[in-house]
Amino acid sequence: MKLSVWTYEGPPHVGAMRVATAMTGLHYVLHAPQGDTYADLLFTMIERRNHRPPVTYTTFQARDLGSDTANLFKTACQDAYDRFKPQAMIVGASCTAELIQDDPGGMAETMGLPVPVIALELPSYQRKENFGADETFFQIVRALARPVEKTERITANLIGPTALGFRHRDDITEVTALLEEMGISVNVCAPYGASPEDITRLGAAHLNVLMYPETGEAACRWMERELGLPFTKTVPIGVGATRDFIREVSELSGLPAKLDEARLRLPWYSASVDSTYLTGKRVFVFGDGTHVAAAARIARDEMGFEVVGLGCYNREMARPIRALAKEYGVEALISDDYLDVEARIEELAPEMILGTQMERHIGKRLGIPCAVISAPVHVQDFPARYSPQMGLEGANVIFDTWVHPLVMGLEEHLLHMFREDFEFHDAAGASHHGGAHVPREAGGPSAPHAEIPQDFDAPPEDISGQKKAPGEVIWLADAERELKKIPFFVRGKARRNTELFASERGMQEIGIDTLYEAKAHYAR
C-alpha cells in the first residue's frame, strides 16, 4: 500500500537501473514479471532522456511459474547480447522475481557469453534504491578496474553521478571546471557517461572526487584500497563547502588551491539591507543525507536561517545525520515514511521547508513554502537550462531557489495587507490570470468604483481542510479578519495556538481579544 502512495526510494534494482542507464556499452538483463518494467517511465518521462534505458526484461507471467522460468531468463540474455552487442552485461532479479530463486548470475555464467557478465545480489527486502546503485557500481568497478600506469598529468575521476540523479548532469560540468582551474583534468566520470572500457582506466587517475556518497562510496573505498586512489570527503555544495573542497583537492594532488569567485553573486546580497528579511527564518531540512548535510550548513552559515529540524530517509546515512543534528541542537528524523516527516513539520511549524518532492506536497497542504534540495524529484527538477547544485554557480542557483519562495511569500503578505483595496480583494482574482480577472470596462470588481462583494471576506477554510466538528471553538468574523493580517507562512501556527489557548480555557468562541491574549501567552 505504501508503494502505491509515496516512497522516497524504490527497490534496489531501480538503483541498478540508474547505473546502467547512466553508462554506455553496458546492458542490464533483469529477471522480472510484467509490472516491474517501468524503466522507460522513470528515465524517458521524468528525466526526459532521449534514449531508452538499456534494460531487457524476462517479463514472465503467472502462467510461467509452473514451467521453466530459467529458460526464459537465458533466452532474454542471449537475445539482449545478439541485439545490442554490449561491452559488458549486468544481470539480476527484481524484488518479485527474487522470490522464485532462479539465480540469474549462475545461469548467465553457464551461457559462455563473450563479454564480462556481472551478477548482482541485491537484497530487495532489506535494502533500497541508493544501496542498489552503490552496490551495482561497486560490483562493476571490482570486476573491471585494474592497476594501470598513471597519467602523466595529474587527473581525477568523478565518482557517483547516475541517471535520475538530482542535477547530476550539471554538477559534473561545474566540478570539472573547478578542477581544470587548478590544472587537473578529468580521467573518467563514472557511472555517468562511462563505458565498461572506461572503467578499466579508473586506476590511471591520481585521485577520486566522490561527488555523491550514496551512490559511489563503496567503489571509492575499494579503489583506495586496491588501486591506491585517495578520494575527497567534502561535497562541494555551497560556498564554504566549495572552498573546503578546493583545499582538500590541493592537499591530495599537491597542486596550489585556485578558486575564481568572480561568478559568485551571493556575498553582495548577504551584505545588503534586504538580507535582514531572511535572517532567523526557521527552516526544516529533509532529503538524502548528502544534500541535507550540505543544505543545513548553507542555511545556517551562509543564509542566516535557523535550522529547527533535519533528517534523512536513507538509513545508510543515519549515523552522520544524527551527529550533525546534535551539532545543530535538534533531533534527527531518520525515516522513510512521509507521514512521519509531515507530522514533524506540522509540530515544528517552520517558515520554510528544504526537502524532496514529497516535502513540496506536504508544504502545499500546510501552507509552508518549500524549495527542493534532493531526490526524489519530479520532471520540473530536470530543467533544460544549466542549473547545478555544486560549485560557485551551484551556490548562485541554491540562493535563488531558496530565497524566491520567501520573497514571493512577502509579496503575498503585502497583497493580503491591502486586501480591502478594490484591486486586491479576493473576488478580483489574480491580475496575471486573465481568465479569472474581470476587466474594468466590464464593471467587474476591479473597476474604479466597483462595489466589493459582501462575501469576499468569508473565513478561509481551516488549514487542515477539515470541517469544524461539533464542540470545537468557533472563530468570530472580527478575529478571522485579524488573523488574515498575519503572514500566510505562520498563519497556520497562529490559528492552532489560538484554538489550543481557547479550548484549554473552555472558550466556545474566538474573538479578537482572545487572539491577542493567545499571542501574549505564547510570546512569554
Side-chain angles (χ1 to χ4, degrees):
M1 183 63 188
K2 184 176 175 183
L3 283 174
S4 68
V5 184
W6 264 354
T7 182
Y8 286 97
E9 293 183 88
H13 72 265
V14 172
M17 285 183 192
R18 289 176 56 186
V19 171
T21 304
M23 295 182 66
T24 61
L26 180 75
H27 201 82
Y28 183 21
V29 180
L30 183 63
H31 200 26
Q34 287 183 328
D36 281 357
T37 56
Y38 43 74
D40 283 8
L41 174 68
L42 287 173
F43 298 102
T44 60
M45 293 183 65
I46 294 179
E47 195 174 14
R48 298 188 288 192
R49 293 178 67 88
N50 58 355
H51 292 87
R52 294 185 64 181
V55 182
T56 292
Y57 307 91
T58 56
T59 57
F60 59 82
Q61 302 176 53
R63 65 171 177 265
D64 298 318
L65 296 178
S67 57
D68 190 1
T69 53
N71 274 333
L72 284 176
F73 177 80
K74 289 182 177 181
T75 301
C77 268
Q78 190 63 55
D79 290 347
Y81 175 76
D82 293 341
R83 179 179 179 186
F84 298 106
K85 294 293 190 295
Q87 296 176 21
M89 297 174 70
I90 54 176
V91 297
S94 73
C95 46
T96 311
E98 186 180 315
L99 298 174
I100 62 176
Q101 301 180 337
D102 270 342
D103 186 19
M107 289 186 290
E109 190 176 349
T110 65
M111 294 178 62
L113 294 172
V115 294
V117 179
I118 302 160
L120 302 177
E121 297 291 338
L122 304 176
S124 298
Y125 297 95
Q126 289 82 41
R127 308 303 286 271
K128 294 193 174 182
E129 180 181 328
N130 279 319
F131 169 82
D134 190 44
E135 178 68 12
T136 298
F137 183 55
F138 163 64
Q139 294 295 346
I140 292 171
V141 170
R142 189 174 72 165
L144 302 177
R146 294 291 180 269
V148 293
E149 185 178 349
K150 301 291 184 184
T151 57
E152 183 176 348
R153 182 184 180 188
I154 293 180
T155 58
N157 299 317
L158 305 186
I159 304 298
T162 68
L164 211 65
F166 183 55
R167 310 291 172 85
H168 288 196
R169 175 198 66 193
D170 296 343
D171 284 349
I172 292 168
T173 303
E174 188 67 20
V175 173
T176 299
L178 290 175
L179 294 174
E180 287 181 346
E181 193 175 326
M182 292 181 62
I184 301 173
S185 297
V186 171
N187 177 50
V188 173
C189 176
Y192 201 105
S195 67
E197 183 180 351
D198 293 329
I199 300 299
T200 66
R201 298 188 294 104
L202 285 170
H206 295 76
L207 71 148
N208 281 330
V209 171
L210 177 56
M211 296 175 65
Y212 309 101
E214 278 85 359
T215 53
E217 186 167 0
C220 276
R221 292 194 180 280
W222 184 88
M223 285 187 278
E224 183 178 51
R225 185 174 63 252
E226 301 295 330
L227 305 179
L229 284 174
F231 65 94
T232 57
K233 311 301 191 297
T234 305
V235 177
I237 299 178
V239 178
T242 299
R243 290 169 178 161
D244 291 346
F245 170 78
I246 293 298
R247 281 193 290 270
E248 186 178 10
V249 171
S250 174
E251 291 170 4
L252 294 177
S253 66
L255 296 174
K258 291 183 181 179
L259 182 62
D260 181 7
E261 298 191 10
R263 294 181 294 130
L264 187 60
R265 298 182 178 90
L266 182 147
W268 71 265
Y269 189 89
S270 298
S272 71
V273 175
D274 290 344
S275 69
T276 58
Y277 170 67
L278 306 175
T279 304
K281 291 296 182 187
R282 303 171 70 256
V283 297
F284 178 84
V285 189
F286 194 85
D288 68 56
T290 294
H291 286 89
V292 163
R297 177 178 178 178
I298 296 168
R300 184 187 66 180
D301 299 344
E302 298 174 21
M303 305 286 278
F305 295 159
E306 178 189 355
V307 178
V308 297
L310 58 81
C312 69
Y313 57 78
N314 49 332
R315 296 187 180 276
E316 294 86 357
M317 295 289 284
R319 182 172 295 178
I321 292 301
R322 285 196 176 100
L324 184 69
K326 188 175 181 181
E327 177 189 331
Y328 280 71
V330 299
E331 181 184 356
L333 174 62
I334 311 299
S335 175
D336 60 359
D337 188 335
Y338 71 93
L339 294 175
D340 292 342
V341 181
E342 182 168 2
R344 182 67 62 86
I345 292 173
E346 201 162 8
E347 174 192 345
L348 295 172
E351 294 162 276
M352 186 177 186
I353 305 167
L354 303 174
T356 72
Q357 70 161 331
M358 258 75 105
E359 284 67 51
R360 179 197 287 132
H361 291 296
I362 290 169
K364 285 179 182 177
R365 288 202 300 278
L366 298 179
I368 303 172
C370 177
V372 174
I373 63 161
S374 161
V377 293
H378 212 329
V379 62
Q380 66 207 73
D381 291 305
F382 290 99
R385 68 185 183 280
Y386 182 60
S387 187
Q389 295 289 285
M390 293 187 178
L392 299 182
E393 189 58 30
N396 292 332
V397 170
I398 288 171
F399 178 79
D400 285 343
T401 305
W402 296 11
V403 168
H404 287 171
L406 291 173
V407 174
M408 293 303 102
L410 176 62
E411 179 183 271
E412 186 77 10
H413 175 47
L414 292 174
L415 290 175
H416 277 280
M417 286 178 63
F418 291 98
R419 64 188 299 116
E420 303 293 338
D421 188 280
F422 64 86
E423 285 190 299
F424 297 120
H425 64 78
D426 290 351
S431 60
H432 60 287
H433 293 164
H437 192 67
V438 181
R440 290 170 179 260
E441 57 269 20
S446 60
H449 303 291
E451 184 178 345
I452 299 174
Q454 294 300 311
D455 62 348
F456 87 90
D457 205 22
E461 187 180 19
D462 184 67
I463 189 171
S464 64
Q466 306 285 332
K467 292 184 178 180
K468 292 288 184 185
E472 291 191 24
V473 293
I474 298 172
W475 284 76
L476 300 179
D478 61 342
E480 280 283 8
R481 281 193 294 271
E482 196 68 16
L483 183 68
K484 290 177 182 178
K485 296 178 182 178
I486 298 173
F488 77 96
F489 43 80
V490 291
R491 191 181 305 151
K493 182 178 180 181
R495 178 184 285 273
R496 288 192 298 275
N497 284 348
T498 306
E499 290 175 353
L500 179 62
F501 177 85
S503 59
E504 286 177 347
R505 287 156 180 75
M507 298 178 179
Q508 300 299 312
E509 297 178 339
I510 294 177
I512 194 167
D513 291 339
T514 311
L515 181 61
Y516 281 107
E517 287 171 10
K519 178 182 177 183
H521 172 77
Y522 288 106
R524 290 171 191 164

